Amino acid sequence: MDYTEALSKVLCAPFSYLFSPRERIYFLYLFTSLIIALVVERRSRSAEASLSATVAKVFPREIYTHSSSVVDYLYFLCNSILYLFILLPFGGFALIVTEQCTKLLALIATPTASVGPFSLWVTVGVTLLMALVVDFGTFFAHVLMHRIPVLWEFHKVHHSAQVMTPLTVYRMHPLDDGITLLINSTLVGVADALFRFFVSAQASPYLVAGISVVTVLFYVFGYNLRHSHVWVSYGPVLSKILISPAQHQIHHSTARRHWNKNYGFTFAIWDLLFQSLYVPKEREEIEFGIGKQEEREYSSPLRLYFLPFLKAGKLLLKKKKRALLFSGKQPSKNS
């Protein structure tokens, strides 16, 4: 690959997200979210409301031209290029863990894995298992980011968004994403090794375009509305199984009653088990962010990258080891 070809790939990286099913802003996921948003907003308005008025409600100018959104756009462009180099080393970590865990199991146990006539059920089983493992890993990493003060300084990058659009999902510090990926890779590697060793040596989850079918379905059914102003609730029953867009919007709320709530990504069962689930009974007015005073500090992509290091460093010098301890409460969003 020559220099021109390499440069072309780097420059096209931001646009490639729209055409990759692995990415959360794949055009199909955006389209289905748009349809859901239009239906929801249409129902919430009078019957006489025009289509253009509904579209304007889904795409309000004050949100999509907000300074916070502009930072999101610029940060996304930077991350889409930098992440190729920053997070790429984590990509094969799960395979390394699987290999080493399998070797360890071989030393202490006799493999019982076999491929029987119920291979379809094996595929269904490993698909669900891996979906649960990845989701728990994401939940656990998310809890750590909120509860460990020094890690919260990096996760603040995401929560500093004053308004939200689908691109806000990429407003994540590389260290934040790196820790989540590291935890997920470890858990997936261990689970994969155990399943292959004791159930089926040829077990593999059902994939669509290279990603789990569970993830694809979750993305298709309105995932991109979780980082938006469009309120979509799954109701009192389903919201105890799956995290709705409304529940994730509550997670971004500055209101104290919403702190430490709805850490889950796909499944709500982890929040239910650890008593952090918040299921809204009706639509709630939500203010996003971490408090006006501190939000102003996250005013450029450069600040989003380097401000967390400065704040975490000051915290470590001030509180020493206490900054690394698991806190029982959400670090102040208005500090």
Side-chain angles (χ1 to χ4, degrees):
M1 182 185 299
D2 59 23
Y3 174 79
T4 304
E5 186 179 354
L7 180 62
S8 176
K9 284 196 172 185
V10 168
L11 294 177
C12 290
F15 305 100
S16 67
Y17 280 52
L18 290 170
F19 305 100
S20 172
R22 293 174 176 270
E23 297 299 336
R24 286 162 284 188
I25 57 168
Y26 177 51
F27 78 90
L28 176 61
Y29 309 148
L30 289 174
F31 177 74
T32 54
S33 292
L34 172 60
I35 297 301
I36 294 171
L38 289 173
V39 170
V40 168
E41 291 298 339
R42 180 69 174 178
R43 287 183 176 180
S44 67
R45 299 173 68 83
S46 65
E48 293 78 20
S50 64
L51 177 60
S52 60
T54 304
V55 171
K57 185 69 174 180
V58 172
F59 297 103
R61 179 176 297 180
E62 64 271 18
I63 288 180
Y64 281 84
T65 60
H66 194 283
S67 59
S68 178
S69 293
V70 173
V71 171
D72 282 353
Y73 306 151
L74 296 174
Y75 193 64
F76 166 71
L77 292 175
C78 295
N79 275 345
S80 63
I81 297 172
L82 294 178
Y83 271 32
L84 293 174
F85 307 99
I86 297 174
L87 297 182
L88 190 61
F90 291 98
F93 190 73
L95 297 177
I96 297 173
V97 174
T98 300
E99 180 183 359
Q100 296 304 314
C101 187
T102 302
K103 289 180 179 179
L104 178 62
L105 287 169
L107 295 175
I108 61 178
T110 301
T112 58
S114 63
V115 180
F118 300 105
S119 57
L120 173 62
W121 296 111
V122 170
T123 299
V124 171
V126 73
T127 298
L128 293 176
L129 173 67
M130 288 306 178
L132 288 169
V133 167
V134 170
D135 200 62
F136 176 75
T138 304
F139 168 83
F140 181 65
H142 198 178
V143 170
L144 293 182
M145 289 294 171
H146 277 262
R147 299 299 188 89
I148 297 178
V150 72
L151 295 183
W152 168 241
E153 293 301 336
F154 292 90
H155 194 56
K156 275 183 183 178
V157 167
H158 185 58
H159 280 270
S160 65
Q162 297 166 271
V163 296
M164 296 201 295
T165 72
L167 283 183
T168 305
V169 70
Y170 295 103
R171 188 187 179 113
M172 304 288 287
H173 196 276
L175 181 64
D176 194 328
D177 275 340
I179 290 175
T180 301
L181 190 53
L182 191 62
I183 290 174
N184 274 339
S185 295
T186 302
L187 293 178
V188 166
V190 172
D192 189 36
L194 290 171
F195 202 94
R196 289 174 181 272
F197 196 84
F198 291 110
V199 181
S200 173
Q202 298 179 1
S204 60
Y206 186 77
L207 305 178
V208 176
I211 60 174
S212 171
V213 65
V214 176
T215 302
V216 170
L217 290 174
F218 183 62
Y219 286 169
V220 165
F221 288 101
Y223 168 82
N224 281 291
L225 297 179
R226 65 198 280 124
H227 292 107
S228 77
H229 63 288
V230 180
W231 180 271
V232 176
S233 174
Y234 292 161
V237 177
L238 191 56
S239 291
K240 293 180 181 179
I241 301 173
L242 299 170
I243 294 292
S244 70
Q247 283 171 285
H248 191 72
Q249 290 166 13
I250 283 170
H251 176 73
H252 277 265
S253 171
T254 59
R256 286 184 177 270
R257 70 181 184 278
H258 294 150
W259 290 10
N260 300 321
K261 302 299 181 183
N262 300 342
Y263 292 114
F265 182 71
T266 302
F267 299 106
I269 54 177
W270 315 119
D271 283 300
L272 187 62
L273 286 172
F274 292 96
Q275 300 182 342
S276 55
L277 185 66
Y278 186 103
V279 178
K281 296 180 180 178
E282 57 186 3
R283 178 162 189 163
E284 299 187 27
E285 293 300 321
I286 298 175
E287 180 181 353
F288 303 132
I290 53 176
K292 298 298 183 185
Q293 181 176 351
E294 194 168 16
E295 286 164 2
R296 297 190 187 98
E297 299 179 12
Y298 298 85
S299 57
S300 70
L302 201 60
R303 284 178 168 267
L304 265 58
Y305 282 120
F306 295 106
L307 189 59
F309 289 108
L310 180 61
K311 286 178 172 285
K314 288 181 177 179
L315 189 63
L316 287 170
L317 291 174
K318 181 180 178 181
K319 297 185 177 181
K320 297 182 179 179
K321 292 183 179 180
R322 286 185 296 167
L324 296 172
L325 296 178
F326 190 85
S327 172
K329 62 180 182 179
Q330 165 77 45
S332 174
K333 290 187 177 183
N334 298 298
S335 59

PDB file of all heavy atoms in Angstrom, residues 41 60 67 80 96 113 141 179 190 192 200 209 216 219 226 231 234 255 258 263 317 325:
ATOM      1  N   GLU A  41     -42.938  11.033  17.274  1.00  0.00           N
ATOM      2  CA  GLU A  41     -43.213  12.470  17.307  1.00  0.00           C
ATOM      3  C   GLU A  41     -44.547  12.790  16.632  1.00  0.00           C
ATOM      4  O   GLU A  41     -45.250  13.712  17.040  1.00  0.00           O
ATOM      5  CB  GLU A  41     -42.072  13.242  16.635  1.00  0.00           C
ATOM      6  CG  GLU A  41     -40.762  13.219  17.398  1.00  0.00           C
ATOM      7  CD  GLU A  41     -40.874  13.865  18.761  1.00  0.00           C
ATOM      8  OE1 GLU A  41     -41.802  14.657  18.991  1.00  0.00           O
ATOM      9  OE2 GLU A  41     -40.027  13.569  19.618  1.00  0.00           O
ATOM     10  N   PRO A  60     -34.354  19.303  15.505  1.00  0.00           N
ATOM     11  CA  PRO A  60     -34.408  20.712  15.903  1.00  0.00           C
ATOM     12  C   PRO A  60     -33.068  21.413  15.672  1.00  0.00           C
ATOM     13  O   PRO A  60     -32.009  20.875  16.034  1.00  0.00           O
ATOM     14  CB  PRO A  60     -34.749  20.646  17.397  1.00  0.00           C
ATOM     15  CG  PRO A  60     -34.303  19.294  17.822  1.00  0.00           C
ATOM     16  CD  PRO A  60     -34.494  18.399  16.654  1.00  0.00           C
ATOM     17  N   SER A  67     -23.312  24.292  20.180  1.00  0.00           N
ATOM     18  CA  SER A  67     -21.854  24.218  20.272  1.00  0.00           C
ATOM     19  C   SER A  67     -21.386  22.849  20.757  1.00  0.00           C
ATOM     20  O   SER A  67     -20.340  22.344  20.331  1.00  0.00           O
ATOM     21  CB  SER A  67     -21.324  25.308  21.206  1.00  0.00           C
ATOM     22  OG  SER A  67     -21.887  25.182  22.505  1.00  0.00           O
ATOM     23  N   SER A  80     -12.423   8.837  14.566  1.00  0.00           N
ATOM     24  CA  SER A  80     -12.558   7.840  13.503  1.00  0.00           C
ATOM     25  C   SER A  80     -11.209   7.536  12.870  1.00  0.00           C
ATOM     26  O   SER A  80     -11.006   6.445  12.313  1.00  0.00           O
ATOM     27  CB  SER A  80     -13.539   8.334  12.436  1.00  0.00           C
ATOM     28  OG  SER A  80     -13.056   9.519  11.815  1.00  0.00           O
ATOM     29  N   ILE A  96      -6.360 -14.240  22.179  1.00  0.00           N
ATOM     30  CA  ILE A  96      -5.222 -14.633  23.018  1.00  0.00           C
ATOM     31  C   ILE A  96      -5.718 -15.234  24.325  1.00  0.00           C
ATOM     32  O   ILE A  96      -5.225 -16.279  24.783  1.00  0.00           O
ATOM     33  CB  ILE A  96      -4.315 -13.419  23.288  1.00  0.00           C
ATOM     34  CG1 ILE A  96      -3.714 -12.895  21.984  1.00  0.00           C
ATOM     35  CG2 ILE A  96      -3.203 -13.788  24.275  1.00  0.00           C
ATOM     36  CD1 ILE A  96      -2.936 -11.607  22.128  1.00  0.00           C
ATOM     37  N   ALA A 113     -16.177 -31.511  25.141  1.00  0.00           N
ATOM     38  CA  ALA A 113     -16.837 -30.880  24.001  1.00  0.00           C
ATOM     39  C   ALA A 113     -17.063 -31.872  22.876  1.00  0.00           C
ATOM     40  O   ALA A 113     -16.223 -32.714  22.580  1.00  0.00           O
ATOM     41  CB  ALA A 113     -16.005 -29.711  23.488  1.00  0.00           C
ATOM     42  N   ALA A 141     -17.798  -2.336  33.240  1.00  0.00           N
ATOM     43  CA  ALA A 141     -16.856  -1.254  32.920  1.00  0.00           C
ATOM     44  C   ALA A 141     -17.506   0.106  33.132  1.00  0.00           C
ATOM     45  O   ALA A 141     -16.870   1.045  33.636  1.00  0.00           O
ATOM     46  CB  ALA A 141     -16.376  -1.400  31.471  1.00  0.00           C
ATOM     47  N   ILE A 179     -10.548   0.572  28.258  1.00  0.00           N
ATOM     48  CA  ILE A 179     -10.839  -0.222  29.448  1.00  0.00           C
ATOM     49  C   ILE A 179     -12.038  -1.135  29.206  1.00  0.00           C
ATOM     50  O   ILE A 179     -12.032  -2.311  29.573  1.00  0.00           O
ATOM     51  CB  ILE A 179     -11.089   0.698  30.656  1.00  0.00           C
ATOM     52  CG1 ILE A 179      -9.773   1.374  31.072  1.00  0.00           C
ATOM     53  CG2 ILE A 179     -11.679  -0.077  31.832  1.00  0.00           C
ATOM     54  CD1 ILE A 179      -9.916   2.395  32.167  1.00  0.00           C
ATOM     55  N   VAL A 190     -12.528 -15.905  28.060  1.00  0.00           N
ATOM     56  CA  VAL A 190     -12.747 -16.955  29.058  1.00  0.00           C
ATOM     57  C   VAL A 190     -14.020 -17.743  28.740  1.00  0.00           C
ATOM     58  O   VAL A 190     -14.027 -18.982  28.754  1.00  0.00           O
ATOM     59  CB  VAL A 190     -12.824 -16.355  30.480  1.00  0.00           C
ATOM     60  CG1 VAL A 190     -13.238 -17.419  31.482  1.00  0.00           C
ATOM     61  CG2 VAL A 190     -11.485 -15.749  30.878  1.00  0.00           C
ATOM     62  N   ASP A 192     -15.597 -18.039  25.891  1.00  0.00           N
ATOM     63  CA  ASP A 192     -15.433 -18.770  24.643  1.00  0.00           C
ATOM     64  C   ASP A 192     -14.657 -20.062  24.876  1.00  0.00           C
ATOM     65  O   ASP A 192     -15.025 -21.138  24.371  1.00  0.00           O
ATOM     66  CB  ASP A 192     -14.709 -17.891  23.628  1.00  0.00           C
ATOM     67  CG  ASP A 192     -14.689 -18.500  22.227  1.00  0.00           C
ATOM     68  OD1 ASP A 192     -15.686 -19.144  21.848  1.00  0.00           O
ATOM     69  OD2 ASP A 192     -13.686 -18.326  21.527  1.00  0.00           O
ATOM     70  N   SER A 200     -18.942 -27.519  22.902  1.00  0.00           N
ATOM     71  CA  SER A 200     -18.700 -27.824  21.490  1.00  0.00           C
ATOM     72  C   SER A 200     -17.426 -27.139  21.026  1.00  0.00           C
ATOM     73  O   SER A 200     -17.283 -25.921  21.148  1.00  0.00           O
ATOM     74  CB  SER A 200     -19.876 -27.366  20.622  1.00  0.00           C
ATOM     75  OG  SER A 200     -19.562 -27.518  19.249  1.00  0.00           O
ATOM     76  N   ALA A 209     -23.049 -10.049   9.093  1.00  0.00           N
ATOM     77  CA  ALA A 209     -22.036  -9.081   8.650  1.00  0.00           C
ATOM     78  C   ALA A 209     -20.909  -8.944   9.668  1.00  0.00           C
ATOM     79  O   ALA A 209     -20.375  -7.857   9.897  1.00  0.00           O
ATOM     80  CB  ALA A 209     -22.677  -7.716   8.386  1.00  0.00           C
ATOM     81  N   VAL A 216     -27.135  -6.685  16.219  1.00  0.00           N
ATOM     82  CA  VAL A 216     -27.781  -6.124  15.019  1.00  0.00           C
ATOM     83  C   VAL A 216     -29.234  -5.774  15.310  1.00  0.00           C
ATOM     84  O   VAL A 216     -29.707  -4.677  14.975  1.00  0.00           O
ATOM     85  CB  VAL A 216     -27.688  -7.104  13.839  1.00  0.00           C
ATOM     86  CG1 VAL A 216     -28.561  -6.630  12.684  1.00  0.00           C
ATOM     87  CG2 VAL A 216     -26.250  -7.248  13.373  1.00  0.00           C
ATOM     88  N   TYR A 219     -29.499  -2.718  17.503  1.00  0.00           N
ATOM     89  CA  TYR A 219     -29.198  -1.495  16.764  1.00  0.00           C
ATOM     90  C   TYR A 219     -30.343  -1.098  15.838  1.00  0.00           C
ATOM     91  O   TYR A 219     -30.635   0.086  15.660  1.00  0.00           O
ATOM     92  CB  TYR A 219     -27.914  -1.670  15.941  1.00  0.00           C
ATOM     93  CG  TYR A 219     -26.630  -1.658  16.743  1.00  0.00           C
ATOM     94  CD1 TYR A 219     -25.422  -2.024  16.156  1.00  0.00           C
ATOM     95  CD2 TYR A 219     -26.617  -1.285  18.082  1.00  0.00           C
ATOM     96  CE1 TYR A 219     -24.234  -2.007  16.871  1.00  0.00           C
ATOM     97  CE2 TYR A 219     -25.443  -1.272  18.806  1.00  0.00           C
ATOM     98  CZ  TYR A 219     -24.246  -1.637  18.199  1.00  0.00           C
ATOM     99  OH  TYR A 219     -23.081  -1.623  18.909  1.00  0.00           O
ATOM    100  N   ARG A 226     -31.140   6.623  21.696  1.00  0.00           N
ATOM    101  CA  ARG A 226     -30.712   6.740  23.090  1.00  0.00           C
ATOM    102  C   ARG A 226     -29.879   7.999  23.301  1.00  0.00           C
ATOM    103  O   ARG A 226     -29.876   8.577  24.375  1.00  0.00           O
ATOM    104  CB  ARG A 226     -29.968   5.475  23.536  1.00  0.00           C
ATOM    105  CG  ARG A 226     -28.674   5.233  22.827  1.00  0.00           C
ATOM    106  CD  ARG A 226     -28.207   3.793  22.958  1.00  0.00           C
ATOM    107  NE  ARG A 226     -27.566   3.502  24.235  1.00  0.00           N
ATOM    108  CZ  ARG A 226     -27.961   2.539  25.064  1.00  0.00           C
ATOM    109  NH1 ARG A 226     -28.990   1.785  24.754  1.00  0.00           N
ATOM    110  NH2 ARG A 226     -27.311   2.310  26.175  1.00  0.00           N
ATOM    111  N   TRP A 231     -38.021  10.843  23.008  1.00  0.00           N
ATOM    112  CA  TRP A 231     -38.350   9.972  24.135  1.00  0.00           C
ATOM    113  C   TRP A 231     -39.048   8.705  23.643  1.00  0.00           C
ATOM    114  O   TRP A 231     -40.150   8.748  23.125  1.00  0.00           O
ATOM    115  CB  TRP A 231     -39.245  10.726  25.112  1.00  0.00           C
ATOM    116  CG  TRP A 231     -39.664   9.936  26.331  1.00  0.00           C
ATOM    117  CD1 TRP A 231     -40.755   9.143  26.439  1.00  0.00           C
ATOM    118  CD2 TRP A 231     -38.995   9.891  27.594  1.00  0.00           C
ATOM    119  NE1 TRP A 231     -40.820   8.593  27.704  1.00  0.00           N
ATOM    120  CE2 TRP A 231     -39.753   9.043  28.438  1.00  0.00           C
ATOM    121  CE3 TRP A 231     -37.842  10.485  28.106  1.00  0.00           C
ATOM    122  CZ2 TRP A 231     -39.392   8.776  29.758  1.00  0.00           C
ATOM    123  CZ3 TRP A 231     -37.482  10.224  29.425  1.00  0.00           C
ATOM    124  CH2 TRP A 231     -38.246   9.381  30.233  1.00  0.00           C
ATOM    125  N   TYR A 234     -39.928   1.664  26.620  1.00  0.00           N
ATOM    126  CA  TYR A 234     -40.397   0.316  26.321  1.00  0.00           C
ATOM    127  C   TYR A 234     -41.509  -0.141  27.261  1.00  0.00           C
ATOM    128  O   TYR A 234     -41.953  -1.287  27.178  1.00  0.00           O
ATOM    129  CB  TYR A 234     -39.235  -0.680  26.395  1.00  0.00           C
ATOM    130  CG  TYR A 234     -38.191  -0.510  25.318  1.00  0.00           C
ATOM    131  CD1 TYR A 234     -36.912  -1.045  25.471  1.00  0.00           C
ATOM    132  CD2 TYR A 234     -38.481   0.172  24.133  1.00  0.00           C
ATOM    133  CE1 TYR A 234     -35.947  -0.904  24.481  1.00  0.00           C
ATOM    134  CE2 TYR A 234     -37.528   0.329  23.145  1.00  0.00           C
ATOM    135  CZ  TYR A 234     -36.258  -0.207  23.324  1.00  0.00           C
ATOM    136  OH  TYR A 234     -35.303  -0.064  22.345  1.00  0.00           O
ATOM    137  N   ALA A 255     -30.135  15.459  37.085  1.00  0.00           N
ATOM    138  CA  ALA A 255     -30.960  15.373  38.293  1.00  0.00           C
ATOM    139  C   ALA A 255     -30.418  14.303  39.240  1.00  0.00           C
ATOM    140  O   ALA A 255     -30.099  13.191  38.814  1.00  0.00           O
ATOM    141  CB  ALA A 255     -32.406  15.053  37.921  1.00  0.00           C
ATOM    142  N   HIS A 258     -31.552  10.675  39.286  1.00  0.00           N
ATOM    143  CA  HIS A 258     -31.170   9.826  38.167  1.00  0.00           C
ATOM    144  C   HIS A 258     -29.727   9.340  38.257  1.00  0.00           C
ATOM    145  O   HIS A 258     -29.309   8.529  37.429  1.00  0.00           O
ATOM    146  CB  HIS A 258     -31.355  10.584  36.847  1.00  0.00           C
ATOM    147  CG  HIS A 258     -32.779  10.909  36.541  1.00  0.00           C
ATOM    148  ND1 HIS A 258     -33.144  12.030  35.809  1.00  0.00           N
ATOM    149  CD2 HIS A 258     -33.931  10.278  36.867  1.00  0.00           C
ATOM    150  CE1 HIS A 258     -34.468  12.070  35.700  1.00  0.00           C
ATOM    151  NE2 HIS A 258     -34.964  11.013  36.326  1.00  0.00           N
ATOM    152  N   TYR A 263     -27.065   1.783  34.029  1.00  0.00           N
ATOM    153  CA  TYR A 263     -25.727   1.612  33.461  1.00  0.00           C
ATOM    154  C   TYR A 263     -25.740   0.687  32.247  1.00  0.00           C
ATOM    155  O   TYR A 263     -24.804   0.670  31.467  1.00  0.00           O
ATOM    156  CB  TYR A 263     -24.790   0.989  34.499  1.00  0.00           C
ATOM    157  CG  TYR A 263     -24.463   1.875  35.676  1.00  0.00           C
ATOM    158  CD1 TYR A 263     -24.888   1.537  36.956  1.00  0.00           C
ATOM    159  CD2 TYR A 263     -23.705   3.025  35.523  1.00  0.00           C
ATOM    160  CE1 TYR A 263     -24.570   2.321  38.055  1.00  0.00           C
ATOM    161  CE2 TYR A 263     -23.384   3.822  36.612  1.00  0.00           C
ATOM    162  CZ  TYR A 263     -23.822   3.466  37.869  1.00  0.00           C
ATOM    163  OH  TYR A 263     -23.504   4.245  38.951  1.00  0.00           O
ATOM    164  N   LEU A 317      -2.999  13.561  42.967  1.00  0.00           N
ATOM    165  CA  LEU A 317      -2.097  14.301  43.856  1.00  0.00           C
ATOM    166  C   LEU A 317      -2.816  14.774  45.116  1.00  0.00           C
ATOM    167  O   LEU A 317      -2.249  14.805  46.202  1.00  0.00           O
ATOM    168  CB  LEU A 317      -1.505  15.504  43.114  1.00  0.00           C
ATOM    169  CG  LEU A 317      -0.516  15.186  41.991  1.00  0.00           C
ATOM    170  CD1 LEU A 317      -0.129  16.470  41.260  1.00  0.00           C
ATOM    171  CD2 LEU A 317       0.729  14.502  42.561  1.00  0.00           C
ATOM    172  N   LEU A 325     -10.039   4.330  44.602  1.00  0.00           N
ATOM    173  CA  LEU A 325     -10.944   3.447  45.322  1.00  0.00           C
ATOM    174  C   LEU A 325     -12.348   3.509  44.754  1.00  0.00           C
ATOM    175  O   LEU A 325     -12.793   4.536  44.239  1.00  0.00           O
ATOM    176  CB  LEU A 325     -10.963   3.807  46.811  1.00  0.00           C
ATOM    177  CG  LEU A 325      -9.642   3.610  47.564  1.00  0.00           C
ATOM    178  CD1 LEU A 325      -9.806   4.056  49.011  1.00  0.00           C
ATOM    179  CD2 LEU A 325      -9.186   2.163  47.504  1.00  0.00           C
TER     180      LEU A 325
END
